[in-house]
Amino acid sequence: MNKITVLILSIFTLSSCKTSEVIVSVKNGLVIENARIISPENQTISSASYIVIDEDDIVFIGIHKPNLKGTFKTVDAKGKYIIPGLIDSHVHVTGTDALSDKEELENPELVKLFRAQLPKSYLYFGYTTLIDLGTAKPKRLSEFNNAKIKPDLYYAGGGAVIGNGYGLSNWEDEIPNFVYQENEAYPFPDNYIKENHTPEAVAKRIAEFGAIVLKTYYEPGFDPTQPRFPTPSQTLMSNLKREAHKNNLVLAVHGNSLEAHRFLGNVKVDIVAHGLWNWGDYRLDSDSGIPEEIKKVLDIEIKNNVGYMPTLQVINGLRELTYSNYLNDSELEHVLPNELITYYKANSDTMYANVFGDAPKNIIANNFSRISKQGKLSMKYMHDNDGKLLFGTDTPSSPTYGNPPGYNGYLEMLEMESAGIPLSQILASATIENAKAFKLENLYGKVEQGKKANLLILNKNPLQDITAYNDISQVIIRGKIMNRDTLSARKIEE
Ligand SMILES: [Zn+2]
């Protein structure tokens, strides 16, 4: 080979390695180099690639660098891992965690600080898409959406509670979307019109509000010594499902008991928004494992392809009320304003009493540990038998400091892993599975051309180490890249 041939060959080789023929024009671009992309669908890790983002969207992915035209920034992801942004499909973003309406009025400054930090706290732990499953303060959804830096938010709007049922104990509250059930005998309130509370009217109104989910409830109550709340009939639930689908809404239903899961599995709702941790007459006493009757009900949900949200942190978050030392966890400083942590510390006894009265803490702690284990066993059974596990935390599920925004998702993941759910399943549940279940797979769920540029750059491989989700280098939301520490609530010393 003469010198000229070598030269020509090397120029050819160099150019074919470094830049491909593909021309990509961007207006406001971001290029990620050396991107090792993890697929939540098949757990493959790509070789070092180029991801080109323009504005909100991923516009190119390839092994070879495209010929870029326009204005763009470059970031090197060498040694790191790229995954799609996480989706928590069960949150409530319109309250101030653990503060009652009365406390909100009394502490406007705390509310302001909390609400300013809230969107960043979710992003800090990698949650770039949230689904709010029901609120009594729908106006605050737009307030959340008006924040400059925030996850993408979808919602159910005001929940379709069952008339006189769970979530509607107080007719003084504004409950525009309650559903009237013919066979329930209660005086129809004067300020409502019956025709507006049929499944047809309610589903239509919820869709017009911009929701993607119709959320309803199957909850006979938590205290067996009290009279039952009315629950929806099969006919009513079927009608709600039909009307939800007619309006392109996903039907998600609250339920966590054996009775609720049996009913909801048989009616084939789209999603049950909680795990099966209340085993009815059964209880986990020793190493006896999961009772046959529980398996039977879970089998129905598996057979009918019902989405299942374990929401393990509901029970754990309540249990934390017995353990005020929880408030010394330094991770909280990243997701809560310091003033709110101080407030919780000063009021932890009152918060406990508000939920558990004068019940001894050790008994509550033991009970909730058992219920938590029951929830984990049900989840594991769903996973082992090809059930559809969806990642949702129900943050916050009750007036407790034990469901901190963003961090609660990480805690949920740790719990899933400790219960034996493989890391590949945890990643899939929090990305592609949630995207599919909520009909958002055109936008989210994997790193692919055409999807929204909501991505995480991780320092570790989340298929090998769960703590990768607490070792995020950068968060990309709609093409905007942020170092993780800029999202923390912890005040940086000047
Ligand atoms: Zn909830």
Side-chain angles (χ1 to χ4, degrees):
M1 221 186 287
N2 65 37
K3 269 189 185 167
I4 289 174
T5 321
V6 172
L7 189 65
I8 290 169
L9 263 180
S10 62
I11 288 169
F12 179 78
T13 322
L14 270 176
S15 60
S16 68
C17 266
K18 290 231 159 157
T19 315
S20 71
E21 299 302 308
V22 183
I23 297 169
V24 177
S25 303
V26 292
K27 276 196 230 114
N28 179 21
L30 175 69
V31 182
I32 308 173
E33 295 184 342
N34 293 307
R36 286 188 293 172
I37 303 163
I38 298 182
S39 161
E41 277 182 314
N42 55 25
Q43 295 86 51
T44 53
I45 302 178
S46 76
S47 46
S49 304
Y50 293 87
I51 303 175
V52 182
I53 292 163
D54 191 27
E55 308 276 7
D56 278 10
D57 302 312
I58 299 171
V59 294
F60 172 88
I61 296 176
I63 298 291
H64 303 294
K65 190 173 189 172
N67 188 350
L68 281 157
K69 310 268 185 213
T71 317
F72 58 90
K73 275 200 291 193
T74 303
V75 56
D76 187 1
K78 193 164 188 202
K80 298 175 179 171
Y81 297 87
I82 315 289
I83 61 166
L86 304 172
I87 304 170
D88 187 340
S89 59
H90 191 160
V91 299
H92 302 281
V93 298
T94 62
T96 305
D97 286 21
L99 264 59
S100 65
D101 287 357
K102 183 166 166 279
E103 284 174 297
E104 280 200 351
L105 282 173
E106 290 164 356
N107 300 280
E109 199 50 37
L110 273 187
V111 175
K112 217 173 120 190
L113 288 169
F114 173 81
R115 299 199 59 74
Q117 173 59 34
L118 179 64
K120 294 184 201 161
S121 298
Y122 279 107
L123 292 174
Y124 182 84
F125 276 96
Y127 296 93
T128 56
T129 300
L130 302 176
I131 302 174
D132 186 294
L133 281 193
T135 173
K137 301 183 179 79
K139 281 189 193 122
R140 281 199 179 168
L141 295 169
S142 46
E143 183 194 307
F144 184 96
N145 261 338
N146 287 338
K148 232 173 140 188
I149 299 169
K150 52 145 199 101
D152 291 348
L153 178 69
Y154 296 86
Y155 44 80
V161 292
I162 303 302
N164 238 25
Y166 172 68
L168 215 174
S169 46
N170 184 4
W171 284 100
E172 301 294 307
D173 286 348
E174 217 184 302
I175 312 284
N177 294 328
F178 84 87
V179 184
Y180 180 66
Q181 182 158 229
E182 293 295 338
N183 60 354
E184 288 296 337
Y186 56 88
F188 199 87
D190 290 340
N191 49 336
Y192 291 100
I193 301 165
K194 231 178 215 177
E195 291 71 42
N196 292 346
H197 297 276
T198 59
E200 290 82 352
V202 168
K204 190 161 170 273
R205 195 159 52 241
I206 287 173
E208 280 167 1
F209 182 69
I212 65 163
V213 186
L214 189 149
K215 169 82 179 291
T216 187
Y217 303 80
Y218 188 103
E219 182 52 69
F222 306 106
D223 184 350
T225 63
Q226 294 296 311
R228 273 177 69 99
F229 290 127
T231 48
S233 65
Q234 286 231 7
T235 309
L236 182 61
M237 192 57 84
S238 301
N239 290 344
L240 280 169
K241 185 177 153 186
R242 185 194 64 224
E243 294 305 316
H245 290 181
K246 212 186 264 177
N247 287 279
N248 211 17
L249 300 166
V250 173
L251 177 64
V253 190
H254 161 101
N256 52 52
S257 63
L258 182 59
E259 176 190 329
H261 276 255
R262 184 187 289 122
F263 175 87
L264 298 170
N266 279 314
V267 190
K268 302 185 194 175
V269 301
D270 297 324
I271 292 164
V272 184
H274 291 291
L276 201 181
W277 58 67
N278 170 355
W279 285 1
D281 294 338
Y282 304 89
R283 50 186 290 151
L284 185 70
D285 280 324
S286 57
D287 296 334
S288 53
I290 186 164
E292 287 306 312
E293 192 56 32
I294 306 292
K295 288 185 191 172
K296 255 194 231 165
V297 165
L298 295 173
D299 284 339
I300 297 168
E301 293 182 328
I302 294 163
K303 186 175 125 242
N304 290 338
N305 201 27
V306 172
Y308 180 103
M309 286 183 189
T311 60
L312 302 168
Q313 279 301 105
V314 172
I315 298 302
N316 296 348
L318 279 164
R319 187 186 54 200
E320 303 308 0
L321 285 171
T322 67
Y323 177 65
S324 54
N325 202 26
Y326 176 87
L327 290 166
N328 295 322
D329 181 344
S330 62
E331 295 293 347
L332 295 178
E333 294 167 21
H334 292 298
V335 297
L336 297 174
N338 217 359
E339 293 81 349
L340 188 57
I341 300 175
T342 308
Y343 182 87
Y344 288 160
K345 283 180 178 168
N347 292 283
S348 62
D349 285 340
T350 318
M351 288 165 80
Y352 177 86
N354 285 344
V355 178
F356 295 117
D358 54 8
K361 283 188 177 170
N362 61 327
I363 291 181
I364 294 295
N366 285 340
N367 257 326
F368 277 74
S369 288
R370 173 179 55 81
I371 298 167
S372 174
K373 276 184 202 150
Q374 290 174 180
K376 286 183 182 178
L377 283 173
S378 295
M379 171 182 70
K380 182 71 168 42
Y381 184 84
M382 284 300 279
H383 171 262
D384 290 349
N385 294 280
D386 287 329
K388 196 201 278 186
L389 283 192
L390 305 176
F391 184 86
T393 55
D394 195 9
T395 304
S397 56
S398 50
T400 173
Y401 49 72
N403 289 151
Y407 184 36
N408 206 37
Y410 181 58
L411 294 172
E412 179 87 18
M413 288 184 160
L414 293 178
E415 282 290 89
M416 289 175 84
E417 199 215 12
S418 81
I421 306 298
L423 292 170
S424 56
Q425 176 69 64
I426 295 174
L427 176 62
S429 290
T431 53
I432 188 72
E433 294 301 329
N434 262 343
K436 281 185 191 163
F438 286 89
K439 302 196 165 94
L440 297 169
E441 72 265 40
N442 289 339
L443 304 172
Y444 311 108
K446 48 184 165 175
V447 184
E448 196 177 67
Q449 190 179 320
K451 298 273 191 289
K452 289 293 152 207
N454 290 0
L455 306 172
L456 306 181
I457 305 180
L458 306 178
N459 293 319
K460 286 191 261 191
N461 181 350
L463 297 176
Q464 283 173 355
D465 186 347
I466 191 78
T467 67
Y469 296 107
N470 196 15
D471 198 353
I472 300 171
S473 172
Q474 284 123 320
V475 177
I476 300 171
I477 179 83
R478 298 262 170 171
K480 189 175 161 46
I481 186 161
M482 284 163 292
N483 285 333
R484 188 195 195 195
D485 54 8
T486 64
L487 299 161
S488 168
R490 196 181 270 170
K491 299 225 168 55
I492 300 158
E493 302 295 327
E494 304 271 320

